[in-house]
Each structure stands twice: as C-alpha cells, then as structure tokens.
Amino acid sequence: MLQTPKTRQPVVNRLVVIGLGLIGSSLALAARNAGLATEVVGISRRSSTLDLAVEMGVIDRPEQSLAAIASELGAGDLVVIGVPTLTVPAILKECFELLSNQVTITDVASVKGSVMVAAEEVYGHLPVQLVPGHPIAGSEKSGVTAAKADLFKDHRVILTPHADSGEAHVQLVEKLWQKVGAVVSCMDIQEHDEVLAATSHLPHFLAYSLVDTLASMRDNREIFRYAAGGFRDFTRIAASDPIMWRDIALANREAILSVLDQIMSNFSEMRSAIDSGDETYLMDVFTRARDARNHFGQSIDPKALQKTMSEKIINYKVTPGGAARGDIRVPGDKSMSHRSIMLGSIAEGMTEVTGFLEGEDSLATLQAFRGMGVIIEGPDQGRVVIHGVGLHGLKAPTKPLYLGNSGTSMRLLSGLLAGQTFDVELTGDESLSGRPMARVADPLAEMGAVIETAPGGRPPMLIKGGNKLKPIDYVLPMASAQVKSCVLLAGLYAEGETSTIEPAPTRDHSERMLRGFGYSVVSDGSKASLSGGGSLTATRIDVPADISSAAFFMVAAAITPGSDITLRHVGVNPTRVGVINILRQMGTSIELSNEKEVGGEPVADIRIRYAELNGIVIPEDQVPLAIDEFPVLFVAAACATGETVLTGAEELRVKESDRIQSMADGLVTLGIDAQSTADGIRIQGGQLGSGTVHSHDDHRIAMAFAIAGLRSQGEIEIIECNNIATSFPGFVDLATAIGLTINVETQES
Ligand code: S3P
C-alpha cells in the first residue's frame, strides 16, 4: 500500500467519490496526490475495485456504501457522483436519504438535463447543495486501473449550477477542479446538452456505427487488415465503455436525435451527389468542412477567443541591446486583407487572394463571411480563394457574427450589411465592445438603415434587414477610412450616388480595390463617390506586406546604431506613408527601391539604416497617414535628441486602447519624460531604462515596447501581449531573426 501523502493545502474536508471509474478514480488520485482533501474516500460495490484503488494510492479509505460514511459528513465535505449516467438517480436518492444539506454534491455525468430531472424528482425541488459538473477529459480507457493524476490538467470542466445552487457549494466544486489543473467554466444546462450532443455524443455514435458496419461485412478480416491511419484515428473512440454510451444515448435523447437528423440529411444529400456525380456539391461540402476544421483548429473559434477564467496571459521580457539587421518580408496588409474578403464575397465569380494576413482580425472577417454562406478556401500560406455570391447572395447567419478585437471588421461590415434583407448582430471582445460605433451608425441611419447599439453607441450592433437605403453626401466629422469605407459599402446598396468628403486624406484601399473589382468609384480631392446597384467582378489580389507591421522594424533600425534592414514588397500607398515621412524628417535614412504597382496599389522594398534622430514637431497632415504607427514612432521620439510634439491626434484615444495614455504611461515607467495632451503627446528624448509596462491589450503598444528593448538600459517586461496575434502573427520570430531577444512567458490570468 502507498503512503498517505502529507496534506498540503486541503480545499475540501472529506472527498467522497462514489464510483471508481476512470473519471472518479482520476479525480481521487489527483486530489490525494496534491493533498487537496483531509481524507479521500472511495465508494464502490466491488471489493476488488476498492482493493485496487487502495493499492494504487487512489484513495485513503475504501467503503462499499454511502451509508457507511454518511453520518460523518457535514459542511466542507464533497461527494462526487462518478457512476454511469443512468445510475445517477439511484445515487441521488441515497444522497437525499442520508446526507444533510451542508454536504456539497457534484457529479461528472456527460448529460446534465437528466441529472437535474432526477434531482427534482428525488428531492421535490433542486437541492441547494447540488452543483452538476462535467469534466471533458474522458478517454476510451475505463476503470480504476486507467486512473491518471493529470487527466484533468488543461482540460475543460463545465459546471451547470442551477438557480438555487448555493454560492459556497459552487465555489467548493470549482476550486477542487481548478486545483487539479482543469479550466472551469459555467454553462446553461440545455446549452451544455446540445453542444455535447453535437461535439462529443454524435462522434461516438458515428464511430460505433462505422466499426459495427464494417465488422458486419462478410470480408471483415480483410477490411480491417487494410484499414489505415484515418480509420484508426476516426474509430479510436469506438473502444469506449458501452454502458456509459448507452446511458448517454438514452439520457440525452432529444438533443442527440436532433443532431442525428441533421447529419443523416447531410449524408443523404451526399449520397445523392455521389450517385449523380454532382462535383460542385462535393467540392462545396469538402472545402467548407476542411476549412472549418483548419479554422477551428486555429484560434478563431469564438468560444476560444472569448477569454475563459484561466486563459493564459502572454508576457514578453525583452533583453536590452542588439542591432536590427536583415532582409525580411512582414505579413500581409491588414486593411487590404479585410477588404479582399468583403469585396471577394460580394463579387460575381471566384477571387484568388495571395499574401492574405492570417491574423485574428482578418480571420474574424473571413469567418463572418463563412457564417453568411460564402465558401472560402484557405487560408493556406496566405492564399485564399473566395467563391463570390454577388451583391445580393449573402445568407442570414444563424448566430451573431463575432469579430474579436477588430474595429475594421465591425465598421466596414456594418455598412455592407445595412443593405441586406436579413437581420444580423455584430459582437466583439471586451476592447471592441468599448469602441465608438455611432460614427458609423449615424450616417447609416441617415441612409435609412435601422441599427441598434448598446448605450453610448457601443457594440453589439444589431443591424435590421429589409430597409431600402438612400444615397447621401456625407461630410465626415473625423478623418477615418473606416467610416468612409462603411458609407461607400452601404452606397453599393443605395439607389443613386453616395459620396463622402473627408477632412484629411485617409487610406483609400476601399476605393482602389472596388475599382480592381471593376466597380466605378470617382475620387476627386477629398470626395469619393459611387453609384449603387452595379456589380463586382471577381479578380486576383496580391496583398503586399503591411507598412504598419513593417513600421516596427523601421523604427528598430532607426534607433539602433549599426542597423541596416531591408523590408520587401511593402505597400507604400501615399495615404499610408506617414511613418516614412516622419522618420525621414527625424533624420533616418530610408531608401525605396523596386517600386511598382500591384493590383492598383504601390509597392516597394524599403531599406532603413541607422542615423541619429532629432525630435520634431510632427506635421498634423501626417497624422492620418501614420495613424497606426504612432506607438512605435513614440519610441523613436524617446530615442531622439530633443523634443517631439504631436498634436491633432485625438483619434489615437479611441483605438484598441487609448494609445496616447498607454504609451505615455509606459514611457514614463521606462524613465522618459512623456506628457500626454488632449490630442497628442510631448516626448523629451532620453535614455530608456527598464521596467514593467502594460500593453492594455493593444497589439501595437505591445510591439512598440518590444522594439524599445533595443535601446533600453535594462530588461523591459511587457504585460499581456496576446493580441499581437490580431495583426502580426510571427512577430517574435521575425523580431528574433533581425536581432531582438524576446523571452515569451505565460501566466495564468
Ligand atoms: C483602418 C483605418 C484606421 C486604422 C485601422 C484600419 C482601415 O482606422 O486605424 O487600423 O482598414 O480602414 P480609422 O478609420 O478609425 O482611423
């Protein structure tokens, strides 16, 4: 027999596990190993199971019935029901008869609705001490011999507390699961059963059915001999415990029948398509499914993007020193990537995009259009193929379109969706949910769109369909390409000419790309106009490297003696080159070569070499042309001789974070004299020191401070760099390749 481990920090008093199957015994073992309970009691009717459990060190004390221990249990004790689903009611009956309502009760059954029904029947109401739970950590193995202390590490446990579950009981159960390494979240009971029917129960029945079908074929030996990897992967779960899955099938009958009906209708359509040789149908299904599989495997699953209780925070520690040298190409332009998906989707025919940015923001746009029925292949190494559905071919999405962190997605989509026949809701993450949307909702309302926002004109945005849009001449109150593009996209659906007049030139990718799709847009000074009712023709789009991402390495070279960097194939649209103009004015040596036009957008290679920088007063006309590059330009200012002054840039306060304040705070932490003003900042060049700065969940703030490490005296720690994935996947690898030393660390949130 193994020694009882010394109790470290018990979170429960007695842990009583009824049923020593894989889940029950693994929980007992994990809790016992970590000293999470003063005593771990295992209950099983089989003495052989109990003997094994004691011998393996899974439990401290074996019992054959709850009655044997019930009188000893009270507040702080936790009973875990770990028996097959259909046996849960019988155990609940014992709990009702034997336990006081001080004892917390949870279960681990895969179906939650049936547990609640049973509890209500037995108790006559939903008991306060019952906190139903479901660890998503099963395997095809079963029994106490399969017990694994780390079975729950980094696995999800879903709790489905009911309205009367006591707070203290919920906390006790949550704490125990967290302490054994699980990621705990709460869900509504019905939602749980529906989601699990689709994602867990159905795949098991498909696997059982496939194996059973093949096994009943006459040549089954031969068939199984040749069954290869795909078969093995797909059918692994058919080796699971039959009792458990019989119980699940019966307990979650309705949700399972509904999803079985859906898959059977899909199967029968597929059968007819194969029978009739319908290649298009097959390509559509296979492409959609492959892309959805790749996509959900990445980070864009809305549930994955929405932060869970213990999602890891990524922090950077940047070691001072190094020089920036190399010849690199940064990822594709974010603004153009968004627009390529939007315009490709509403064009007629198939649009091929290369150089597409596979960052979370542009992927959010891509996923939104898939949600509206557009078939989009890829992305595969920057290549995306969009099967356009035409201006009126989008379909109503079945749920709100989740746009993560992406303001561009939300603002441009609101314009494009205002003229559809269906309702759609646009939602986003915490940062996006705080950003102003009245700037687009107001002109759209003028056009006749019906849009609801949360108080203060914030997301979510509910866009009502079926409204006829009328054209407007819109004078923008602020220089914003997003607002301009939103109005022009809505103008595609309005009868007559819609125009925008901007107070200063902003990026004109929408206008250029619309023309690339054969749609006439007239640009005349500050005015852009188009007439609704035309059509877009599919095209090829080569997205150049994003100058906003290149800017980080331009500044890296500009501030670091000995640096010399070449950045390839960068988009140098005149409405985006403020960073080049400003750095040149500060003294940086920047050469453009290989200048050409690709798909209506100017592109060049950019070479930057170190030269001493001087502080400047940044001309206000450069502000919209460098709007996303200011965080890193402030780092250049901190390394320059003298003062740099920025004015006329109040828009920076409503970006992914308040970029004036985020940067001023961080620079001050690093020992720089930086004073924010209402519409800008004053920065005295000096020596960057060391310290911990916060990104405020803003990708560009995080990357700007990483670059500062090249010239700091000591280490710079940057908190919360996760959002760099929104615009610049692979940032750390490229930064490392040119000479930065960044240690990536993770921390529980
Ligand atoms: C963008 C426009 C800019 C910019 C954003 C992308 C676009 O926003 O900051 O990152 O793609 O149109 P504003 O239009 O709000 O200035």
Side-chain angles (χ1 to χ4, degrees):
M1 202 210 306
L2 297 183
Q3 290 289 305
T4 303
K6 201 168 157 325
T7 302
R8 287 188 283 274
Q9 257 197 326
V11 291
V12 298
N13 187 13
R14 265 195 203 90
L15 174 65
V16 181
V17 181
I18 306 177
L20 293 171
L22 170 70
I23 299 285
S25 52
S26 295
L27 178 61
L29 181 63
R32 191 169 179 273
N33 281 358
L36 300 177
T38 49
E39 187 179 37
V40 179
V41 183
I43 298 183
S44 170
R45 265 178 315 187
R46 283 202 210 152
S47 52
S48 56
T49 302
L50 291 172
D51 291 346
L52 261 176
V54 172
E55 201 171 308
M56 290 170 60
V58 168
I59 55 174
D60 296 308
R61 172 176 164 190
E63 291 293 351
Q64 276 188 310
S65 71
L66 183 60
I69 187 168
S71 62
E72 297 170 39
L73 301 178
D77 292 325
L78 173 61
V79 170
V80 180
I81 304 175
V83 298
T85 302
L86 293 189
T87 316
V88 174
I91 303 294
L92 277 172
K93 193 153 177 289
E94 285 184 31
C95 291
F96 172 64
E97 284 159 1
L98 298 169
L99 299 178
S100 87
N101 68 1
Q102 305 283 300
V103 182
T104 307
I105 304 172
T106 187
D107 75 311
V108 297
S110 305
V111 182
K112 301 274 56 103
S114 61
V115 171
M116 300 309 275
V117 170
E120 206 158 9
E121 261 171 31
V122 169
Y123 280 78
H125 61 272
L126 288 174
V128 62
Q129 78 265 45
L130 178 63
V131 185
H134 176 204
I136 308 197
S139 90
E140 72 283 8
K141 304 207 176 71
S142 45
V144 65
T145 47
K148 262 175 76 185
D150 64 354
L151 184 68
F152 307 106
K153 195 162 178 304
D154 295 330
H155 279 257
R156 269 184 195 278
V157 170
I158 300 173
L159 300 183
T160 58
H162 56 89
D164 296 328
S165 295
E167 190 54 38
H169 295 295
V170 177
Q171 276 173 13
L172 190 70
V173 176
E174 184 181 331
K175 191 118 187 237
L176 179 72
W177 282 119
Q178 282 173 342
K179 288 281 177 192
V180 298
V183 178
V184 183
S185 51
C186 287
M187 230 190 208
D188 166 74
I189 293 169
Q190 194 185 339
E191 189 190 356
H192 169 276
D193 286 358
E194 284 170 7
V195 169
L196 269 289
T199 55
S200 164
H201 307 169
L202 180 66
H204 277 82
F205 303 145
L206 289 177
Y208 279 130
S209 169
L210 174 63
V211 176
D212 191 44
T213 309
L214 295 200
S216 63
M217 287 180 175
R218 243 184 322 130
D219 316 330
N220 57 12
R221 249 172 209 283
E222 276 302 277
I223 289 172
F224 282 102
R225 181 171 304 154
Y226 292 110
F231 176 84
R232 216 177 24 244
D233 293 347
F234 185 65
T235 57
R236 178 181 55 79
I237 48 180
S240 303
D241 181 2
I243 296 178
M244 175 171 162
W245 286 97
R246 174 205 62 193
D247 284 9
I248 290 172
L250 300 178
N252 200 19
R253 187 168 164 273
E254 267 168 42
I256 290 169
L257 286 181
S258 149
V259 58
L260 262 180
D261 286 346
Q262 290 175 48
I263 199 117
M264 281 163 73
S265 106
N266 190 297
F267 257 150
S268 96
E269 279 175 17
M270 194 179 288
R271 189 189 184 288
S272 334
I274 294 172
D275 188 24
S276 64
D278 185 346
E279 289 176 28
T280 316
Y281 175 91
L282 295 174
M283 273 309 287
D284 282 2
V285 174
F286 297 164
T287 309
R288 248 192 340 256
R290 180 199 62 183
D291 293 340
R293 175 69 177 80
N294 290 339
H295 198 66
F296 287 110
Q298 292 175 18
S299 59
I300 200 71
D301 173 5
K303 286 234 155 53
L305 273 177
Q306 278 157 20
K307 296 201 159 84
T308 58
M309 280 195 257
S310 63
E311 184 179 326
K312 300 223 170 14
I313 294 177
I314 297 172
N315 299 331
Y316 288 176
K317 281 193 176 150
V318 190
T319 309
R325 303 183 73 85
D327 187 329
I328 53 174
R329 177 168 172 164
V330 299
D333 187 275
K334 182 153 78 75
S335 294
M336 291 186 223
S337 295
H338 282 297
R339 287 159 171 84
S340 69
I341 298 291
M342 295 180 189
L343 301 189
S345 293
I346 56 167
E348 315 273 349
M350 214 163 77
T351 290
E352 183 188 8
V353 184
T354 48
F356 179 80
L357 169 68
E358 297 184 35
E360 285 175 1
D361 277 12
S362 35
L363 288 171
T365 293
L366 186 150
Q367 195 59 12
F369 280 89
R370 282 193 178 135
M372 291 187 285
V374 182
I375 295 170
I376 304 177
E377 297 173 46
D380 181 8
Q381 298 184 25
R383 182 174 179 271
V384 174
V385 177
I386 307 155
H387 299 244
V389 295
L391 218 51
H392 300 284
L394 296 175
K395 298 204 181 90
T398 53
K399 50 182 194 254
L401 299 177
Y402 178 72
L403 302 170
N405 193 246
S406 177
T408 308
S409 308
M410 189 169 285
R411 296 201 178 117
L412 270 60
L413 267 174
S414 66
L416 199 149
L417 296 176
Q420 305 297 332
T421 50
F422 49 82
D423 294 356
V424 52
E425 186 178 350
L426 305 180
T427 65
D429 71 2
E430 205 182 314
S431 149
L432 183 55
S433 301
R435 296 185 66 189
M437 293 299 148
R439 55 179 58 200
V440 287
D442 290 348
L444 291 174
E446 252 184 70
M447 296 179 80
V450 178
I451 296 182
E452 289 166 20
T453 60
R458 315 276 152 185
M461 298 182 86
L462 179 61
I463 301 165
K464 298 279 193 181
N467 294 294
K468 208 162 153 20
L469 298 187
K470 54 178 189 293
I472 54 170
D473 297 311
Y474 190 61
V475 180
L476 273 76
M478 76 290 283
S480 166
Q482 293 181 352
V483 177
K484 172 177 65 174
S485 304
C486 163
V487 173
L488 291 175
L489 288 173
L492 295 174
Y493 293 88
E495 213 173 284
E497 188 183 286
T498 295
S499 70
T500 55
I501 296 183
E502 52 189 1
T506 65
R507 65 192 68 191
D508 61 355
H509 304 304
S510 300
E511 297 92 303
R512 286 174 187 253
M513 204 179 280
L514 274 164
R515 282 184 209 114
F517 277 91
Y519 206 100
S520 164
V521 182
V522 178
S523 297
D524 181 10
S526 59
K527 183 171 173 182
S529 46
L530 56 74
S531 294
S535 65
L536 284 75
T537 310
T539 185
R540 276 172 187 269
I541 298 173
D542 171 12
V543 178
D546 196 332
I547 191 166
S548 298
S549 299
F552 295 102
F553 299 135
M554 293 169 70
V555 170
I559 62 173
T560 318
S563 294
D564 185 351
I565 273 197
T566 301
L567 297 153
R568 298 286 174 192
H569 202 68
V570 182
V572 287
N573 180 315
T575 59
R576 296 284 298 279
V577 293
V579 62
I580 297 179
N581 301 339
I582 293 168
L583 282 176
R584 275 190 176 144
Q585 204 179 325
M586 293 176 82
T588 311
S589 151
I590 302 182
E591 282 164 37
L592 266 56
S593 61
N594 243 334
E595 291 184 64
K596 55 187 168 208
E597 195 159 284
V598 179
E601 289 279 353
V603 170
D605 295 339
I606 305 177
R607 181 175 181 194
I608 309 103
R609 275 169 294 176
Y610 171 77
E612 269 200 23
L613 294 179
N614 295 307
I616 59 166
V617 174
I618 297 173
E620 285 198 6
D621 65 359
Q622 294 300 309
V623 171
L625 313 186
I627 192 71
D628 288 338
E629 289 67 73
F630 283 109
V632 78
L633 282 169
F634 295 167
V635 171
C639 298
T641 306
E643 186 180 57
T644 296
V645 182
L646 173 70
T647 54
E650 52 280 273
E651 275 295 302
L652 290 180
R653 293 207 180 265
V654 289
K655 294 291 176 190
E656 285 82 330
S657 71
D658 174 345
R659 286 187 172 158
I660 293 176
Q661 209 50 53
S662 307
M663 285 306 296
D665 291 348
L667 288 173
V668 168
T669 302
L670 299 177
I672 296 293
D673 176 2
Q675 285 169 19
S676 58
T677 59
D679 66 344
I681 196 166
R682 305 179 85 88
I683 299 170
Q684 295 291 338
Q687 174 59 57
L688 287 159
S690 66
T692 299
V693 296
H694 207 286
S695 79
H696 298 277
D697 233 352
D698 183 333
H699 53 138
R700 300 203 197 278
I701 303 294
M703 290 185 277
F705 282 118
I707 297 302
L710 282 164
R711 284 292 298 273
S712 65
Q713 269 173 334
E715 184 178 83
I716 299 179
E717 184 184 24
I718 309 157
I719 306 296
E720 236 179 344
C721 300
N722 302 49
N723 267 343
I724 288 177
T726 60
S727 69
F728 200 155
F731 170 74
V732 171
D733 290 344
L734 267 185
T736 308
I738 64 145
L740 275 91
T741 310
I742 303 178
N743 290 311
V744 179
E745 298 186 350
T746 53
Q747 173 199 320
E748 290 293 332
S749 64

